[in-house]
Amino acid sequence: MLSFDQVPPLAAPLRFFVTAPLFIALAGLLAVIDGPAILASRWTPAALAATHLLTVGFMAQVMLGALLQMLPVVVGVVVPRPRLTAALIHIPLTLGALALAAAFLNGNPIWFQGALGLLGLGFGAALIAVHLALWRAPVVSGTVIALRCALGALMVTVGLGLSLGGFFGWGFTLPVVVVTHLHTAWGLVGWTTLLVAGVAYQVVPMFQITPPYPSAFVRGFAPLMAVLLAAWSALAFGGWEMAARLTGAVLALGVALFAVTTLRLLTQRRRKIGDPTLACWRTSMASLLTGALLWLLTPWSQTLARAPQVEWLLGILPIFGFAVAVINGMLYKIVPFLAWFHLQAQLLGRAKVPTMKQLLPDAAIRRQFWVYLAALLLLLAAAVHPPVFTYPAALALGGTGVWLGVNLMGVWWIYRRVLQDGLAVAPVTDNEVMRG
Amino acid sequence: MPANPYWSLAMSIREFLIDDHRHCDDFFAAAEQAVERSDAAGAATAFGQFRAALLRHFAAEEQTLFPAFEARTGMRMGPTQMMRIEHEQMRGLVEVADEALTSGDLEEFLGQAESLLIMMQQHNMKEENVLYPMCDQQLAGEPAVLERLQSELA
Ligand code: HEM
């Protein structure tokens, strides 16, 4: 955080964070409506819709919002016109994610065309804003390198996604299966994993008070993974199957190495007090590790490769197990902190500002996390045995999304109330109070 | 940190001050842990050590590092000014947490400590990722600055 007058207004990042949980709830709703049929194949319209509600509506939305918020801190660059930039990304992304889900469900080319236009706009604006900042970074740290790789991977993911959408919207001819594989890998391994890694290098050691990640890892991991992904893509696209398989194995090992390194650091944490977000990190990394090992083994075993359950596990573990867990945990740090910070800056000396734990009690975080964990385990069970577990999994998925949203909205409500009460007592004229 | 000249030749300002940040973190973690165990005396000791270490770190930066950087670059209102403002904010937060601890309100202390930790670590990230590397570049020809910091934070 910079001094107060350089901090973007609270509404700029918050708009991403309060709308995102709705998309988890919508994915749950979709699964409730569709029932076990949704799991018939990963290519069912409802499965593709639910996937993008999570990957675009929740994950990309929060990750981009948080990135805009973190760039000034981690990279030392201020994003210009924060309110406008946030709106230009948030509005098209939200509507685009909804339209894309609707397009998958109704299969209507017009919907695909609309969704692609909106998503092109939203992701385009985000990529421009973030790239500009990353290029101007005065010092190129390991985190900056990883963020650049992640942003590059997002560009590839979105490019491939738009082409796939073009197949449905305008009838582009392209080898859909291979392109979908590339799109998935760039999205989950390139964009999601490398972004989380870049952020983890900073936040794990600092907020959990652990030793740092090994410096060779910090500088080398993301570029190496990006190069491997590019090589893997070329091999997969060119049809060199064995070489692609081997490269894929190295990629899976790389992902596993990141998960193991993070889990090890977490066991060495010197901050010994209970912290509910720690459970989010552990669940996230354990899911990532399990997913990576499964991905490593699958191509070499006929039984695994043929099992439709494995395909589902390979989607649920990285998306809901890894990404949603870690993002859920990060939101619980970012949102109460930002609210506290803005209250502090505006009310210091005029009214008592609630602490972060009063804005969002640990107990509320823990309860929502249990529902999240239930949803994860039920989804994994549903992948293996849909008839019994689909409905409980769908309900838990909806429940955890709604609860996350309620917890975050709760912070916003307290923020509004405290601010109004505080301002009613004594009008605020400037922000100088923060300077002491 | 040993004031061994060979050691200091090998070390950068960044590495040295990062070590000092981690040193403060350890006291902070110890204070939080003592509070969670309801060990008021242990918490008071650890938080006292944290506070002393942090204030010494701020003072060394404000009196030695920042003036050297400003003199070398001519940037008086740039990053160092921002860091001074943040030091001031954190001094305030440390006092508020200290009051909570002294008055025995441990719940309040943990709440205050949470936001203090985040403020402090965001500040550290900016210094470690941006300002210290700039200092190492700009002050490469002035080993005396690091030596002074080492003696001030010994
Ligand atoms: C502009 C944004 C995007 C568009 C237009 C888009 C479009 C598509 C389309 C059309 C498919 C289905 C391909 C088929 O049926 O053969 C697909 C699959 C997929 N997309 Fe996206 N996508 C976008 C962004 C993302 C992002 C950011 C992720 C992040 C991780 C992602 C993850 C996936 C995954 C995992 C699949 C495979 C689903 C499955 O196998 O069931 N997509 N995408």
Side-chain angles (χ1 to χ4, degrees):
Chain A
M1 199 64 40
L2 300 176
S3 70
F4 187 69
D5 41 1
Q6 283 188 288
V7 176
L10 182 58
L14 212 64
R15 59 188 304 154
F16 293 96
F17 305 151
V18 295
T19 49
L22 265 175
F23 285 88
I24 300 184
L26 282 178
L29 182 65
L30 192 56
V32 170
I33 293 172
D34 225 48
I38 194 175
L39 292 162
S41 141
R42 59 183 267 204
W43 308 108
T44 61
L48 290 166
T51 303
H52 288 84
L53 287 172
L54 294 177
T55 57
V56 178
F58 182 73
M59 286 157 51
Q61 181 136 233
V62 181
M63 284 153 77
L64 290 171
L67 208 51
L68 291 175
Q69 184 64 30
M70 285 184 72
L71 282 174
V73 177
V74 175
V75 181
V77 174
V78 182
V79 178
R81 315 283 303 268
R83 221 187 256 275
L84 181 68
T85 311
L88 279 179
I89 299 169
H90 176 251
I91 295 170
L93 220 53
T94 305
L95 298 177
L98 292 171
L100 184 63
F104 279 123
L105 290 172
N106 64 26
N108 186 337
I110 306 279
W111 280 86
F112 274 106
Q113 293 170 8
L116 297 190
L118 288 164
L119 291 172
L121 267 178
F123 278 116
L127 285 165
I128 291 171
V130 178
H131 268 294
L132 283 180
L134 284 174
W135 272 322
R136 283 183 298 155
V139 177
V140 181
S141 63
T143 289
V144 173
I145 295 174
L147 295 184
R148 283 182 182 166
C149 293
L151 262 293
L154 177 62
M155 206 145 61
V156 176
T157 307
V158 170
L160 294 172
L162 293 177
S163 323
L164 284 168
F167 171 80
F168 296 100
W170 285 280
F172 290 2
T173 41
L174 73 165
V176 178
V177 174
V178 181
V179 175
T180 305
H181 278 134
L182 300 191
H183 170 71
T184 305
W186 282 93
L188 297 180
V189 180
W191 156 239
T192 310
T193 308
L194 297 186
L195 187 87
V196 171
V199 173
Y201 301 160
Q202 300 285 328
V203 303
V204 169
M206 291 197 147
F207 296 133
Q208 300 298 337
I209 311 191
T210 72
Y213 283 81
S215 64
F217 186 91
V218 167
R219 297 198 82 82
F221 175 70
L224 216 68
M225 293 291 283
V227 168
L228 280 168
L229 257 178
W232 174 82
S233 305
L235 294 170
F237 203 77
W240 287 287
E241 225 208 281
M242 194 37 131
R245 235 200 244 184
L246 286 170
T247 321
V250 182
L251 275 171
L253 280 175
V255 173
L257 181 67
F258 166 62
V260 169
T261 307
T262 306
L263 284 169
R264 252 203 58 213
L265 288 179
L266 290 175
T267 62
Q268 294 168 296
R269 75 197 276 267
R270 280 168 287 152
R271 190 176 194 213
K272 294 289 187 231
I273 67 162
D275 176 357
T277 62
L278 184 62
C280 296
W281 275 95
R282 292 211 161 116
T283 309
S284 170
M285 291 300 136
S287 305
L288 185 63
L289 179 59
T290 318
L293 294 179
L294 192 59
W295 183 34
L296 179 68
L297 296 179
T298 302
W300 312 97
S301 146
Q302 289 296 325
T303 334
L304 289 178
R306 292 229 183 88
Q309 293 93 332
V310 171
E311 287 204 313
W312 273 104
L313 295 177
L314 284 176
I316 293 166
L317 285 167
I319 294 173
F320 193 70
F322 160 58
V324 172
V326 73
I327 293 172
N328 196 328
M330 293 291 298
L331 282 171
Y332 281 149
K333 290 281 180 206
I334 299 175
V335 171
F337 175 74
L338 287 178
W340 169 84
F341 184 82
H342 282 260
L343 284 174
Q344 171 86 2
Q346 294 171 79
L347 295 179
L348 193 70
R350 296 161 210 236
K352 166 123 183 48
V353 173
T355 65
M356 281 173 65
K357 286 180 196 292
Q358 287 161 342
L359 286 162
L360 183 51
D362 281 357
I365 298 180
R366 285 215 171 81
R367 287 193 205 111
Q368 186 266 339
F369 177 75
W370 286 118
V371 180
Y372 162 81
L373 204 60
L376 175 59
L377 296 175
L378 287 167
L379 278 171
L380 294 172
V384 178
H385 193 62
V388 176
F389 293 107
T390 303
Y391 285 111
L395 289 174
L397 182 61
T400 185
V402 170
W403 204 331
L404 177 61
V406 167
N407 277 348
L408 298 180
M409 282 306 288
V411 176
W412 174 248
W413 283 322
I414 301 179
Y415 169 85
R416 301 289 318 158
R417 208 194 55 225
V418 171
L419 191 63
Q420 265 162 18
D421 293 355
L423 294 183
V425 173
V428 176
T429 51
D430 55 43
N431 300 319
E432 291 302 312
V433 275
M434 272 307 276
R435 318 261 166 92
Chain B
M1 229 10 88
N4 175 336
Y6 297 103
W7 176 240
S8 61
L9 273 180
M11 198 174 220
S12 62
I13 292 174
R14 175 169 181 270
E15 287 167 310
F16 175 68
L17 291 177
I18 285 181
D19 278 351
D20 201 54
H21 281 164
R22 298 297 97 85
H23 184 61
C24 297
D25 291 347
D26 285 336
F27 288 133
F28 178 88
E32 269 192 333
Q33 195 183 353
V35 168
E36 204 178 50
R37 286 195 314 254
S38 304
D39 168 8
T45 312
F47 197 75
Q49 287 169 320
F50 164 73
R51 185 176 154 187
L54 189 74
L55 296 181
R56 228 155 43 113
H57 181 91
F58 290 169
E61 288 183 337
E62 288 170 5
Q63 286 155 25
T64 301
L65 182 66
F66 296 172
F69 178 84
E70 288 162 358
R72 176 92 187 116
T73 60
M75 285 199 283
R76 259 160 236 291
M77 298 314 290
T80 48
Q81 187 53 26
M82 192 89 71
M83 295 300 114
R84 284 197 172 89
I85 293 169
E86 293 185 355
H87 286 174
E88 213 41 58
Q89 295 172 347
M90 282 184 284
R91 285 188 181 103
L93 295 175
V94 169
E95 292 323 309
V96 174
D98 196 44
E99 277 161 32
L101 199 56
T102 320
S103 69
D105 190 345
L106 300 186
E107 215 37 56
E108 173 78 10
F109 172 81
L110 287 178
Q112 297 291 352
E114 183 79 20
S115 34
L116 171 60
L117 177 68
I118 297 182
M119 285 290 280
M120 183 166 80
Q121 300 297 21
Q122 293 202 352
H123 173 78
N124 292 352
M125 280 184 211
K126 280 184 257 173
E127 290 188 337
E128 295 174 16
N129 290 326
V130 183
L131 183 64
Y132 295 164
M134 285 166 85
C135 288
D136 275 318
Q137 276 167 13
Q138 296 293 334
L139 301 173
E142 299 180 39
V145 175
L146 179 55
E147 283 161 27
R148 280 246 314 273
L149 288 171
Q150 284 172 328
S151 69
E152 283 164 354
L153 295 172

